[in-house]
Amino acid sequence: MIYIKSKIALGIESTAHTWSVGIIDFEGNVLSLVNNMYLPEKGGLHPAAVKEYHLNNFHKVIKKALHNANITLKEIDLIAFSKSPGLGPILKIGAHVARILSQLLKIPIVAVNHCIAHIEIGRLMCNIDDPLTLYVSGGNTIISAYESGRYQIFGETLDIPVGNLLDMFARDVGLAHPGGPKIEKLAQESNTYLSLPYVVKGMDLSFSGLYTATKRLIESSDYGKKFTLNDVAHSLQETSFAMLTEVTERAIAHTEKTEVLLTGGVAANKRLQEMVKSISEDHNAKFEVVPLKYAGDNGAMIGWTGILRYKAEGAHTISATQINPKERMDQISIPWRN
Ligand code: AMP
Ligand code: MG
């Protein structure tokens, strides 16, 4: 038997805090994945500081990913990078590095939408075909599914993403970034629900009023007397997750999808998993959480989505690889799913 080595893609994720390189073959086997996350000492993500950090470190991440995969740059057959959506100065680093590699190595390049990549790595890793996806992260909150040739958006946040809500609240009470896991721990110690604004408008969500209300609670004179930080964390999670679950449930009912996928960094949250699993089961839909290594931002998902597009319609020209910080996933055609 002749062993034919699969082609290999190098995927670069560069939309926000994490510069990540994934090396993955055309069969979907991940050969290596190396993440390098910028963690602010205090406050949120300042694009200029993140940019400086990634510029100083990206080459080490590429080197380590190649080393871990036990290959050299010359063995790479395809370069993929995240071109949208994200912070402009950060997207540009990924685009520049990808273009340079593609031209120096004389190999094809594919520009990838980050949100679509989250869904595609979920389909691959969870071995499912056609899910309704709840994508919840620090930068995005989107309920989507494939219909009429595109990943249509059925619901989304009108203001801040849910991960950002948790991170901002955590910062206000003195907890370091990322706040989501710390809020989850705090919430586990309480069953006291404090009434908070629940804002679902049609199929869309708004979290900014909820953020302001939790901030008022911890500034109030009753804080630490009539209720605790644990109670506020519990109430914040219950309210925001119930909003997400309501919209996800209506999207399942509308699309009649029989698979539900939870992804993004916030997918790590056990309470959210429990709530989305419960409504999935109510609708006889199979529930899957993307393995946490691949749920947050990562280069493997970019590499894999690059492979899917490349197989379906070939590479992009260099001039078609311009970044687009505001591009929505429903603007993009999906030729590999026809
Ligand atoms: P991402 O933007 O996909 O890399 O995900 C990062 C976001 O996920 C941040 O907002 C984190 O606070 C959030 N996150 C991570 N783990 C948890 C958790 N266990 N519960 C809630 N949010 C989380
Ligand atoms: Mg993401």
Side-chain angles (χ1 to χ4, degrees):
M1 200 175 93
I2 306 168
Y3 173 71
I4 302 170
K5 193 168 140 283
S6 175
K7 287 190 170 188
I8 296 172
L10 184 146
I12 296 173
E13 158 59 24
S14 169
T15 59
H17 49 67
T18 299
W19 173 280
S20 169
V21 172
I23 297 180
I24 177 164
D25 72 19
F26 276 38
E27 310 298 316
N29 302 299
V30 178
L31 308 184
S32 69
L33 175 60
V34 180
N35 297 341
N36 187 36
M37 186 178 175
Y38 170 78
L39 280 171
E41 277 172 31
K42 61 178 170 49
L45 293 181
H46 294 288
V50 190
K51 176 184 164 190
E52 197 54 28
Y53 180 79
H54 289 336
L55 273 176
N56 283 320
N57 293 291
F58 78 84
H59 60 287
K60 295 177 216 160
V61 184
I62 295 177
K63 242 176 130 172
K64 194 167 168 199
L66 289 166
H67 174 84
N68 291 359
N70 198 19
I71 61 169
T72 65
L73 258 186
K74 289 202 178 96
E75 290 170 79
I76 300 292
D77 301 291
L78 176 72
I79 298 286
F81 74 98
S82 48
K83 70 142 184 175
S84 64
L87 302 171
I90 318 295
L91 288 167
K92 274 186 195 159
I93 308 174
H96 288 172
V97 171
R99 284 175 171 201
I100 291 167
L101 287 175
S102 160
Q103 289 173 97
L104 278 180
L105 300 167
K106 297 191 175 60
I107 54 173
I109 182 169
V110 177
V112 169
N113 174 282
H114 173 97
C115 305
I116 291 174
H118 271 291
I119 298 179
E120 290 304 340
I121 200 76
R123 290 177 65 228
L124 174 72
M125 294 294 166
C126 300
N127 198 18
I128 53 176
D129 182 43
D130 185 28
L132 184 283
T133 303
L134 172 58
Y135 164 36
V136 273
S137 72
N140 293 284
T141 299
I142 299 176
I143 294 100
S144 75
Y146 181 79
E147 226 171 78
S148 311
R150 302 201 172 200
Y151 282 113
Q152 309 289 353
I153 296 176
F154 289 93
E156 63 193 312
T157 180
L158 297 170
D159 42 51
I160 54 173
V162 68
N164 193 225
L165 163 76
L166 301 173
D167 293 338
M168 290 201 309
F169 173 72
R171 208 182 302 149
D172 290 341
V173 296
L175 299 169
H177 188 88
K182 291 153 198 149
I183 302 294
E184 179 173 28
K185 275 222 172 71
L186 287 168
Q188 280 161 355
E189 302 302 317
S190 167
N191 272 318
T192 303
Y193 182 75
L194 309 162
S195 177
L196 286 171
Y198 181 104
V199 186
V200 174
K201 298 180 181 177
M203 287 291 280
D204 292 327
L205 307 134
S206 164
F207 295 109
S208 60
L210 175 55
Y211 168 66
T212 309
T214 49
K215 202 169 154 74
R216 291 226 176 91
L217 280 179
I218 56 168
E219 287 166 357
S220 90
S221 55
D222 289 338
Y223 179 55
K225 297 181 188 123
K226 292 186 180 157
F227 55 84
T228 65
L229 176 56
N230 299 83
D231 301 336
V232 183
H234 168 75
S235 309
L236 176 61
Q237 276 201 175
E238 291 303 303
T239 309
S240 57
F241 294 172
M243 289 162 56
L244 292 168
T245 306
E246 178 192 328
V247 175
T248 303
E249 177 167 22
R250 273 195 275 135
I252 302 171
H254 172 74
T255 59
E256 298 181 342
K257 298 288 179 191
T258 55
E259 296 162 331
V260 176
L261 184 68
L262 179 60
T263 191
V266 186
N269 191 287
K270 291 279 181 294
R271 178 62 182 142
L272 180 62
Q273 290 178 13
E274 180 182 46
M275 289 166 83
V276 179
K277 183 168 191 257
S278 157
I279 51 120
S280 303
E281 286 170 357
D282 288 348
H283 292 264
N284 297 318
K286 185 176 175 216
F287 171 72
E288 294 284 346
V289 186
V290 177
L292 293 185
K293 189 174 170 190
Y294 300 108
D297 295 350
N298 70 87
M301 69 181 192
I302 303 297
W304 178 238
T305 309
I307 291 168
L308 291 174
R309 183 169 295 281
Y310 181 70
K311 280 180 174 170
E313 61 172 19
H316 284 130
T317 59
I318 286 289
S319 56
T321 59
Q322 298 206 14
I323 63 157
N324 189 348
K326 299 259 178 248
E327 186 177 53
R328 290 165 62 84
M329 70 201 294
D330 56 4
Q331 294 174 306
I332 300 168
S333 65
I334 309 292
W336 60 90
R337 286 204 54 186
N338 290 330

